Amino acid sequence: VQLQAFGGGLVQTGGSLRLSCTVSESIYSINNMGWYRQAPGKEREVVATRTSGGGTYYADSAKGRFAISRDNAENTVYLQMNSVKPEDTAVYYCNVAIRRTAGSRITDFWGQGTQVTVSS
């Protein structure tokens, strides 16, 4: 299973971006999902997660500005980023827990990362 992440780029402080992450093949279901980021010289950190039941978690840095969502028909997860700040600059990775078939176990997959750069 491959995850294709899109939507990164250069944006000014206060602007918006929407990241997307699409599962490239037909699957049975997407369970939990999340967005993570890694800035230069720092460890990867969680930005937002969403459970299959709809429960969400946001890092303090993302609360009130970012929103995680999904499109089940398109097997795509999104991260809407609003009011971005220079400290949001990082490579953003999606993580999706997938059940390939009805009888298979749930497996985690990572996207390849998309660069977000916020200029001041």
Side-chain angles (χ1 to χ4, degrees), residues 6-46:
F6 299 99
L10 177 64
V11 61
Q12 291 185 332
T13 296
S16 296
L17 281 175
R18 189 174 78 157
L19 307 183
S20 64
C21 180
T22 299
V23 180
S24 62
E25 64 183 65
S26 177
I27 58 171
Y28 179 73
S29 68
I30 294 175
N31 291 71
N32 298 345
M33 59 185 184
W35 286 94
Y36 297 74
R37 69 186 182 187
Q38 187 166 18
K42 295 187 177 181
E43 294 186 353
R44 188 174 298 188
E45 63 179 6
V46 61

Side-chain angles (χ1 to χ4, degrees), residues 30-35 48-51 68-70 77 95-97:
I30 294 175
N31 291 71
N32 298 345
M33 59 185 184
W35 286 94
T49 62
R50 181 185 174 105
T51 67
I68 187 170
S69 62
R70 62 192 286 170
V77 299
N95 173 263
V96 182

Side-chain angles (χ1 to χ4, degrees), residues 50-98:
R50 181 185 174 105
T51 67
S52 57
T56 56
Y57 165 83
Y58 292 94
D60 287 343
S61 58
K63 286 178 182 176
R65 301 189 299 125
F66 295 178
I68 187 170
S69 62
R70 62 192 286 170
D71 183 329
N72 290 331
E74 298 294 328
N75 284 340
T76 298
V77 299
Y78 299 98
L79 183 70
Q80 178 67 43
M81 304 171 61
N82 298 323
S83 302
V84 297
K85 305 175 182 179
E87 50 264 43
D88 294 322
T89 295
V91 177
Y92 284 72
Y93 298 90
C94 60
N95 173 263
V96 182
I98 294 170

